[in-house]
Amino acid sequence: MSNEEPTGDFVRVREQTAGRDLNYPPLPEPLPVGVYDNHTHLEIADGEGLDYREHLDRAASVGVRGVIQVGGDVETSRWSAATAAIEPRMLAAVAIHPNEAAEYALRGELDDAIAEIDRLAGQPRVVAVGETGLDYFRTESAEGQAAQQRSFEAHIDIAKRHGLALQIHDRDAHAAVIATLLRVGAPERTVFHCYSGDAEMAGVCAENGWYLSFAGNVTFKSAENLRRSLAVAPRELVLVETDAPFLTPTPLRGRPNAPYLIPHTLRAMAGYLDTDVSVLAARISSNTERVYGSWDAEPVSSVVVPSGGFA
């Protein structure tokens, strides 16, 4: 993420790399059965900069019924909670991303940030704590990893106290994440967002009833570990996501990702599993509602709440 000032409905602007095609892909063929995007970042502008309403309109037109909008720091978590409060197609997850936790700790601000996440977790239409976890790829220092661990355990506690699902970010830290969940006790509904482990780890998740959410990278040529994991994961524990605007599925890699591109990933998953796309979509939709509840369980507000916080 860049440090550019937010524009319009956006809180962040995606850092660009040279040569990217910044045009959003065309609409895919609609799904025969609707699903939900388990994890997206509509606060991040990319490409032509569609606002969240345009994203959700496009998604609805191809059978994506709703999204979990995910925060990764105090500002984006506030935006996620505030926007979900007024948008019926959106529910929110709030957290300090593990890499951000290390940065907050360096500034002496981690405890205050965690306290704000605890407050936001009690807001209407906030249904998950995430993304939280451990990332040893971008944070290598012992001090940074210790801050991540402290933050992760605090987020687990927040999720359990508020009765919310937990969305985990796990990068190059599989053993440590699993050890933490087993030691402190995972929330009843725990989701590995953008699952990145192997088939053996998928078996551990299955034994513990943890959900595996697959993103567009399951379609990448190099991602045989993800396809093998999908094959062994119990269908009742499988979810689908975009992690938009990142991880655009093949054959659209490099272009901006969005919830309306879920059909590409879901159809690829159905092909890997040799199952009908309607059957898989229905199963995943049911799984998603089991984790987060109904999108209309709590009413939306008619009052637009500033993204900086709640009255």
Side-chain angles (χ1 to χ4, degrees):
M1 298 181 186
S2 75
N3 293 320
E4 297 180 49
E5 289 298 313
T7 57
D9 289 301
F10 304 111
V11 183
R12 299 283 188 271
V13 178
R14 183 179 181 182
E15 293 180 352
Q16 302 300 339
T17 54
R20 278 189 71 218
D21 181 349
L22 296 181
N23 294 303
Y24 275 91
L27 293 171
E29 179 184 350
L31 291 167
V33 174
V35 296
Y36 302 94
D37 185 348
N38 173 70
H39 186 112
T40 195
H41 297 281
L42 298 185
E43 83 285 4
I44 302 176
D46 192 23
E48 55 197 281
L50 302 178
D51 73 17
Y52 74 86
R53 303 167 195 86
E54 294 173 295
H55 277 301
L56 295 173
D57 288 345
R58 290 189 181 191
S61 74
V62 298
V64 180
R65 303 162 66 183
V67 305
I68 301 294
Q69 161 62 35
V70 180
D73 58 20
V74 167
E75 187 178 19
T76 57
S77 291
R78 286 173 173 163
W79 187 93
S80 299
T83 307
I86 61 170
E87 172 52 65
R89 298 166 293 184
M90 180 186 292
L91 296 174
V94 297
I96 306 301
H97 187 287
N99 292 313
E100 295 294 332
E103 295 299 318
Y104 277 109
L106 280 175
R107 301 193 298 267
E109 300 172 356
L110 182 55
D111 289 340
D112 288 344
I114 291 171
E116 177 64 359
I117 296 303
D118 194 1
R119 185 184 73 83
L120 290 169
Q123 296 295 330
R125 299 183 64 80
V126 173
V127 296
V129 173
E131 57 189 286
T132 182
L134 302 173
D135 187 324
Y136 293 169
F137 177 79
R138 285 176 52 195
T139 299
E140 298 180 353
S141 71
E143 295 83 0
Q145 291 181 6
Q148 289 188 0
Q149 184 70 43
R150 180 161 67 89
S151 178
F152 184 26
E153 294 187 25
H155 281 74
I156 292 171
D157 176 66
I158 291 169
K160 290 195 287 190
R161 283 191 290 103
H162 287 274
L164 301 181
L166 184 77
Q167 281 208 13
I168 292 175
H169 172 102
D170 165 26
R171 190 169 186 187
D172 290 0
H174 306 320
V177 167
I178 290 172
T180 300
L181 292 173
L182 294 176
R183 176 171 53 82
V184 305
E188 181 180 352
R189 292 159 293 139
T190 293
V191 178
F192 278 77
H193 131 70
C194 191
Y195 181 79
S196 60
D198 57 15
E200 182 180 359
M201 178 174 159
V204 173
C205 291
E207 290 172 4
N208 288 279
W210 301 333
Y211 292 81
L212 291 71
S213 182
F214 292 89
N217 56 341
V218 73
T219 70
F220 294 178
K221 184 177 180 180
S222 61
E224 188 60 33
N225 65 308
L226 301 184
R227 292 185 283 276
R228 289 175 179 167
S229 299
L230 175 62
V232 303
R235 300 287 171 86
E236 65 270 19
L237 296 177
V238 171
L239 304 176
V240 67
E241 67 175 80
T242 57
D243 199 20
F246 313 105
L247 299 179
T248 313
T250 301
L252 305 168
R253 287 189 69 178
R255 298 175 70 174
N257 200 6
Y260 77 85
L261 297 177
I262 278 276
H264 289 292
T265 301
L266 189 66
R267 286 192 167 95
M269 291 167 64
Y272 304 144
L273 294 172
D274 193 26
T275 191
D276 183 82
V277 67
S278 297
V279 173
L280 183 60
R283 176 74 270 179
I284 287 177
S285 182
S286 176
N287 294 346
T288 310
E289 291 180 349
R290 189 165 64 250
V291 175
Y292 305 109
S294 169
W295 262 245
D296 59 5
E298 289 187 291
V300 295
S301 171
S302 59
V303 178
V304 178
V305 182
S307 61
F310 292 80

